[in-house]
Amino acid sequence: MSMMSEFRQFAMRGNVVDLAVGVVIGAAFGKIVSSLVADIIMPPLGLALAGIDFSKLGWVLKDAVGDTPAVVLAYGKFIQVCFDFAIIAFVIFMLVKGINRLRHQEAAKPAEPPAPTAQEKLLMEIRDLLKK
């Protein structure tokens, strides 16, 4: 088996394709959550905290000199990323909880008992004849 055909077989496995789809959807979902936090949650929160814009919070460690930019410890961006993470973690928790609930409902449904085999039918007929 050549290396190329072996790689093709590896790449076309269901797990690899599923993982690739999950990564792409996860990246898109991350952008949605980032927008939710930055554009919807943080402005009212900043307004409630006397107009603070978290993304601009930071400490200047070294001022800009000429063409060299300032060295800034941007803790406000870190706070925003923490909010992003908390929201993403909560949404994923809710999705997993919903999926688990569906799985438990399917597992809780009792399966229909299997139909009696020919041997069991014959034994039931003999039992019924003996009762008479």
Side-chain angles (χ1 to χ4, degrees):
M1 183 178 252
S2 73
M3 185 179 233
M4 195 60 157
S5 62
E6 195 174 339
F7 175 74
R8 186 180 311 121
Q9 183 182 7
F10 167 77
M12 296 313 284
R13 279 191 205 160
N15 294 344
V16 174
V17 174
D18 291 344
L19 179 62
V21 169
V23 168
V24 170
I25 290 175
F29 183 71
K31 290 180 183 179
I32 290 170
V33 172
S34 294
S35 175
L36 173 71
V37 172
D39 302 328
I40 295 175
I41 294 175
M42 294 307 279
L45 186 60
L47 186 62
L49 297 173
I52 297 174
D53 181 8
F54 283 99
S55 63
K56 294 181 182 176
L57 291 177
W59 288 309
V60 177
L61 301 176
K62 184 177 179 185
D63 290 327
V65 177
D67 291 341
T68 307
V71 178
V72 178
L73 184 68
Y75 65 89
K77 290 180 183 179
F78 177 74
I79 292 171
Q80 181 142 356
V81 170
C82 289
F83 276 113
D84 288 349
F85 173 77
I87 291 171
I88 291 171
F90 179 73
V91 169
I92 290 174
F93 168 74
M94 295 305 289
L95 287 173
V96 169
K97 186 175 178 176
I99 290 169
N100 286 341
R101 182 178 294 143
L102 290 175
R103 283 186 186 164
H104 290 299
Q105 286 177 355
E106 289 178 8
K109 293 179 184 176
E112 252 183 59
T117 62
Q119 183 179 7
E120 290 173 341
K121 288 180 184 178
L122 184 60
L123 288 171
M124 286 190 284
E125 288 176 14
I126 293 172
R127 180 196 63 201
D128 293 341
L129 288 172
L130 288 173
K131 282 184 182 178
K132 289 182 182 177

